[in-house]
Structure formats: C-alpha cells, structure tokens
C-alpha cells in the first residue's frame, strides 16, 4: 500500500473520553508552551465538536477556528471560556509537585 493511500492520522479521534481530553491538556499545560496549549485546545475542541464548543463558549465557529489556529493568539478570557465549554476546569498545584505523565488513551 502506498503511503499516499493511508488515512491521515488525527489525534482528535483518540481523545474520546472527558478523562483522556483532560489528561492530554494537563500534560501540555505542564510543559507551559503557549503555542502547544493553543494547539491542544484546538485538538480537544475538534475531538468534542468545534461547533458545540464555540456555541457553549459564546464565540462563532469560524472565530474559534481562527483563535485556536496556527496563527491564533487567544486572550486569556477566551481560553477560560473555551476550557469551561469543554467541561474542564483548571486546578492550581505547587510547581514542585510535577504531574505524572500518563499515556493518553
């Protein structure tokens, strides 16, 4: 089989449960790279349904794609609304207690 005939891999298809999505975001947030966090939010939003997340966050679907896209730079208020729309909450913990990295299922 030619590589060009293979289905393109989409990690969003593997983030099926709320626990898997939350764990994935925890891993990315622990690294602290803003671009990776934006990309992870995009991936989780696609896994849950971009239209559904946009509506719950109070933004347009097109706006959400733009905000979480490669050149997007979302405001913190938007990030909080999107995370809330995903059914996820942020939790603070001391930096010395590094989260354990688990495999995403």
């Amino acid at each position: 089989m030619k590589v060009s005939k293979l289905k393109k891999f989409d990690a969003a298809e593997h983030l099926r449960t709320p626990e898997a999505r939350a764990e994935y975001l925890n891993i990315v947030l622990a690294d602290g790279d803003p671009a990776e966090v934006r990309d992870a939010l995009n991936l989780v939003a696609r896994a849950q349904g971009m239209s559904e997340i946009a509506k719950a966050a109070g933004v347009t679907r097109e706006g959400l794609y733009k905000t979480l896209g490669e050149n997007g730079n979302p405001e913190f208020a938007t990030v909080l609304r999107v995370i809330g729309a995903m059914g996820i909450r942020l939790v603070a913990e001391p930096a010395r207690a590094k989260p354990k990295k688990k495999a995403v299922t």
Side-chain angles (χ1 to χ4, degrees), residues 22-23 25-27 29-31 89-102:
E23 183 63 28
L25 286 174
N26 276 331
I27 291 167
L29 285 166
D31 289 341
R89 65 184 171 95
L90 294 179
V91 178
E93 62 180 34
R96 66 180 180 275
K98 290 194 173 203
K100 295 178 184 176
K101 291 188 178 186
K102 297 180 184 176

Side-chain angles (χ1 to χ4, degrees), residues 49-61 64 85:
M50 195 66 87
S51 295
E52 177 184 323
I53 297 301
K55 184 177 180 180
V59 296
T60 65
R61 186 177 64 83
L64 188 58

Side-chain angles (χ1 to χ4, degrees), residues 4-89:
S4 62
K5 300 284 184 186
L6 294 174
K7 181 181 174 190
K8 185 177 177 182
F9 176 79
D10 185 0
E13 294 175 6
H14 301 279
L15 296 175
R16 294 184 182 110
T17 67
E19 294 80 14
R21 293 187 289 264
E23 183 63 28
Y24 173 66
L25 286 174
N26 276 331
I27 291 167
V28 174
L29 285 166
D31 289 341
D33 182 308
E36 286 183 16
V37 171
R38 182 203 60 227
D39 292 346
L41 289 172
N42 184 313
L43 185 68
V44 171
R46 287 190 304 108
Q48 285 187 253
M50 195 66 87
S51 295
E52 177 184 323
I53 297 301
K55 184 177 180 180
V59 296
T60 65
R61 186 177 64 83
E62 294 80 13
L64 188 58
Y65 272 111
K66 183 177 178 182
T67 297
L68 299 180
E70 187 175 331
N71 296 317
N73 188 18
E75 292 184 11
F76 190 64
T78 303
V79 170
L80 290 177
R81 287 196 318 268
V82 168
I83 289 174
M86 292 174 174
I88 296 173
R89 65 184 171 95

